[in-house]
Amino acid sequence: MIQGIDSPIEKRNSGMGRPNGILTFGTSLNVRQRKLLEALPEFDSRVIVPRNSVNMKDLSALTAMTGDEFAMFTGGGRRLVIRGNYYMVNVSPEEAADLAAKGYKWSGHTHPGYDRWCLTPSQGDKDILKAFDQELSVVYNSMGQYRTFEKE
Amino acid sequence: MRIPDHFVEWSDEIKAYCESNGLSFEKARKMSRGFDRTSVLLGYYDPNKKSNGLLDDTPMPAVLLISKEPDGSLKFEQTEHTKKYLT
C-alpha cells in the first residue's frame, strides 16, 4: 500500500502508546490507554473491562506515564485493573484468595523503573501467586520489558 | 508461550561459575527464579517472612543475573547480595 502525505514516517512511528516511547520521547498514551487511565484516576481506583480491551503492554504504558504500579486480573472474559502507587497495589493475600475464589487469575502487574533489576519480584508477589495457586505470573517495568516469575 | 527454565538449561555452566567464584551452586539452585527470553534472575525469598501481598511490593534481594550474550556465552552479574546468600 502506498502511504500518502497524510501518513508520514514520523507519524506512523510516533511511539504513541508504547512504554519506551512515552518514557524516552514523551509521546502520549493511545486512545484506548487514555480511556483506561481516565477510569483509574487515583490510588486504588478499580475498573472491570472486556478481556480484549487491555493487555500488559498497556499497563506498562500507564506506568511509564504515571510512575504508578498497576495490577491486572482476568476471569470470565473480563479484566479487573487496579491502580497502585509507586511502590504498592492495594491487594492483600486475603483479597487475592477472594479474587481466586471468584474465578480470577493474576495476569500480571508492573513495577515502575527503567532497568531489568526492577523486574525482580517481591516477597509479596510470590505470596499473591500462592494465594491464586498459580504457577507463574509476569512483571513489566516502565520500558515494556518483562520477566516471568514462578510460585516456587 | 512459557519461557523455558534457563537455570536448568544452563546448569552446567552455572555450576562451573559458582565453583570458580566460591559460590554455592546448591544455594543458587534453591533461589527464586525470574525469567525473560535471554536471562534468569535469582532472588532470595525468605519462607519465614510474612508479607502483605502487593501492599508491600519491595523487590526481594536480587542475588545473581545470568544472561545469554549474542555470541552464545553466559554473562554473570553479581549484586551486593550475592556473597550473603550464595556463600
Side-chain angles (χ1 to χ4, degrees):
Chain A
M1 189 177 98
I2 299 171
Q3 296 288 337
I5 197 167
D6 292 335
S7 182
I9 288 172
E10 59 269 27
K11 186 174 177 183
R12 281 180 270 143
N13 298 297
S14 66
M16 184 183 284
R18 295 181 188 165
N20 195 27
I22 291 165
L23 208 61
T24 309
F25 305 112
T27 55
S28 56
L29 298 171
N30 63 31
V31 173
R32 184 176 70 174
Q33 293 163 352
R34 271 206 306 276
K35 286 181 178 173
L36 186 62
L37 187 57
E38 283 168 12
L40 297 163
E42 59 190 7
F43 174 73
D44 207 28
S45 297
R46 296 165 181 233
V47 66
I48 294 175
V49 295
R51 182 184 182 135
N52 61 2
S53 68
V54 59
N55 58 38
M56 283 303 303
K57 281 272 187 185
D58 292 325
L59 294 201
S60 180
L62 296 190
T63 293
M65 181 60 75
T66 64
D68 288 339
E69 290 194 18
F70 291 83
M72 184 162 76
F73 307 88
T74 304
R78 299 168 301 166
R79 293 203 199 272
L80 166 65
V81 182
I82 304 175
R83 181 173 180 169
N85 60 21
Y86 68 96
Y87 70 96
M88 70 173 180
V89 179
N90 186 19
V91 177
S92 65
E94 293 75 21
E95 183 177 7
D98 188 45
L99 288 169
K102 290 175 180 167
Y104 280 100
K105 294 281 185 188
W106 187 23
S107 302
H109 73 304
T110 60
H111 283 176
Y114 320 109
D115 58 32
R116 297 201 294 179
W117 296 107
C118 72
L119 296 172
T120 309
S122 68
Q123 185 100 7
D125 292 340
K126 301 277 279 189
D127 292 339
I128 291 292
L129 205 51
K130 288 177 181 172
F132 275 93
D133 195 23
Q134 234 173 275
E135 289 303 315
L136 58 88
S137 188
V138 65
V139 56
Y140 275 69
N141 66 12
S142 308
M143 303 281 285
Q145 299 168 319
Y146 67 93
R147 189 176 292 283
T148 60
F149 60 96
E150 298 177 325
K151 185 169 63 175
E152 299 304 333
Chain B
M1 187 180 75
R2 185 164 185 160
I3 294 172
D5 187 338
H6 300 314
F7 191 91
V8 173
E9 190 182 339
W10 303 334
S11 63
D12 289 347
E13 289 152 284
I14 295 169
K15 188 173 185 183
Y17 174 83
C18 287
E19 286 173 358
S20 62
N21 286 273
L23 305 176
S24 166
F25 176 72
E26 275 309 300
K27 287 182 180 176
R29 198 171 57 78
K30 292 174 184 166
M31 290 285 133
S32 171
R33 301 172 197 170
F35 304 97
D36 64 17
R37 297 194 185 284
T38 58
S39 70
V40 54
L41 176 66
L42 306 185
Y44 177 70
Y45 176 82
D46 183 351
N48 300 314
K49 182 179 169 186
K50 184 169 167 52
S51 81
N52 204 12
L54 296 185
L55 286 160
D56 179 10
D57 209 9
T58 308
M60 65 178 77
V63 172
L64 189 64
L65 177 62
I66 307 153
S67 312
K68 189 79 139 179
E69 294 287 87
D71 66 2
S73 64
L74 292 186
K75 178 183 175 185
F76 294 84
E77 292 176 68
Q78 296 193 16
T79 73
E80 69 269 33
H81 304 295
T82 305
K83 291 280 186 285
K84 179 177 179 182
Y85 294 112
L86 289 187
T87 56

